[in-house]
Amino acid sequence: MALQIKKDLVTTSRLPETDFDNIPFGRTFSDHMFVADYKDGKWQDARIVPFGHFQIHPAAMALHYGQAIFEGMKASISKDGTPMLMRPEMHVTRFNASATRLMMPEVPGELFLGAIRELVSIDADWIPPAKGSALYLRPYMFATDEFIGVKPSQTYKFIVFTGPVGPYYPKPVSLYADTHYIRAAEGGTGFAKCAGNYAGSLLPAKLAMDKGYDQVLWLDAKEHKYVQEVGTMNIFFHIGDKLVTPTIEQDTILKGITRDSAIKFYRSEGIEVEEKKLNIDEVVEAYDAGKLNGVFGTGTAAVVAHVHQIAYGDKIMNVPHGEADGYGQKFKTFIEELRAGDIEDKFDWIEKIKVRETA
Ligand SMILES: Cc1ncc(COP(=O)(O)O)c(C=O)c1O
C-alpha cells in the first residue's frame, strides 16, 4: 500500500526572512516537519505539519534511558532546480542498524524515504543554491512511553525536520589522541548513531580543547592505540601514495557514508585505499619517515576537513599539507560538483526529487 501522508501546510512561509548568504549552521529551520507515531506495534499517523514545538511527557523514556537515534543527510539543488538526495538508502540502513542496537522498531524504507521525498519536495525552495550549500535533513526517533523503569519503550516518534546550511569551510583542525577517555568499546554502541555516544564525548572534547586541540582522535578502549574516528568524522591518513583508514568491521566506528563514498571514489581514480586495524604507532612511524603526506576527516557536514596537527602522548605531529591535502581536496570537489549536478553521476548515487506543484 502506498504511504499516506496527511498534510497541514503553512499559509505563510518564513523563507522571506531567511538570508541564504548568512546561515548559521544548525539554527535555521524550514517551514515543515514530518511526524509519525509508533504504537500498537506499527507506525501510524504519518503527517507533515508546520515546524514547531511539540509537547512531551516528563516521564517520556527517551529523556531518562536514552533510546534516541538520528541521521544527518543533505538535499542539494541542481542549476535547473531539481532537488537531489545522495545515497539516501544508506541512511535508512544505518538508521535501522542503530534502531536494532537500541531495541527500537525499524522505520521501513518506504516510510523513511517517503517522508524525506515529500518534505524536500514541499520545502524545495529552502534548498540554498550556492555550491557547497544544502538543506540539512535530520531524521530521528525517540522513545515516548510515559514510564519510569529500564525496559524498551512500546511507543516512539519518528520525526524529520530540515534546515538550510551554508557552505562549510572548516579551518584545518588539530587532534588530540586520547589515551584515557574512550568513545566506544567492542560490544558497545559505537557503530550506532545514538544520542548517548555524543553526550559521552563532550567532556573529553572539552578537556582536549582546554589543552589547545580542536577535537579528540578516538583510540580503542582496550589498548588505547588503534585509531577509531574523530568527533563527527571518519579519518583518512595519506601515507606515501596511498590512503589508510581504520576498518569499520569492528562495531566501534560509525559506518560513515561519506567514508564509503570516498573509498569508492579514490579506488575509481586508481588511488589505493587500505582499510585496516590501524595502530597509531604506524602513523607516528610514517610521520618520522617523512611519509605522512596528509590527514583528513570525512563526514556529511564538512565533506572533508583537513587535519594540520595530531598530538599523541609527547609526540606532536605537524601534518604536511594540513591545509590542503591533494587527495582530500580532490574528493571534496567531486562531491560538491556531484551535488550541484555539474558532473556525471557515474556511481549512480544521486536521487532526483520531483518538486511539488503549487496550486
Ligand atoms: C561519530 C561520527 N563518525 C562519522 C561520521 C561521518 O558519517 P557520515 O559520512 O555518514 O556523515 C559522523 C557523522 O554522521 C559521526 O557522527
Side-chain angles (χ1 to χ4, degrees), residues 38 46 61 87-88 109 138 199-200 218 222 233 237 289 293 327:
Y38 185 85
M61 290 184 78
R87 311 189 79 189
R138 171 49 60 89
W218 298 107
K222 233 189 256 171
M233 293 186 295
F237 297 87
N293 291 322
Y327 283 1

Side-chain angles (χ1 to χ4, degrees), residues 94 183 193 198 229 231-234 254 256-258 298-300:
R94 187 169 69 186
R183 174 185 175 276
K193 214 163 157 57
Y198 297 84
E229 58 186 303
T232 57
M233 293 186 295
N234 296 106
L254 194 83
I257 291 156
T258 320
T298 61
T300 298

Side-chain angles (χ1 to χ4, degrees), residues 272-284:
E272 188 187 346
V273 185
E274 189 182 359
E275 296 175 79
K276 66 189 290 196
K277 202 171 162 191
L278 177 61
N279 191 323
I280 191 156
D281 289 338
E282 278 186 49
V283 176
V284 174

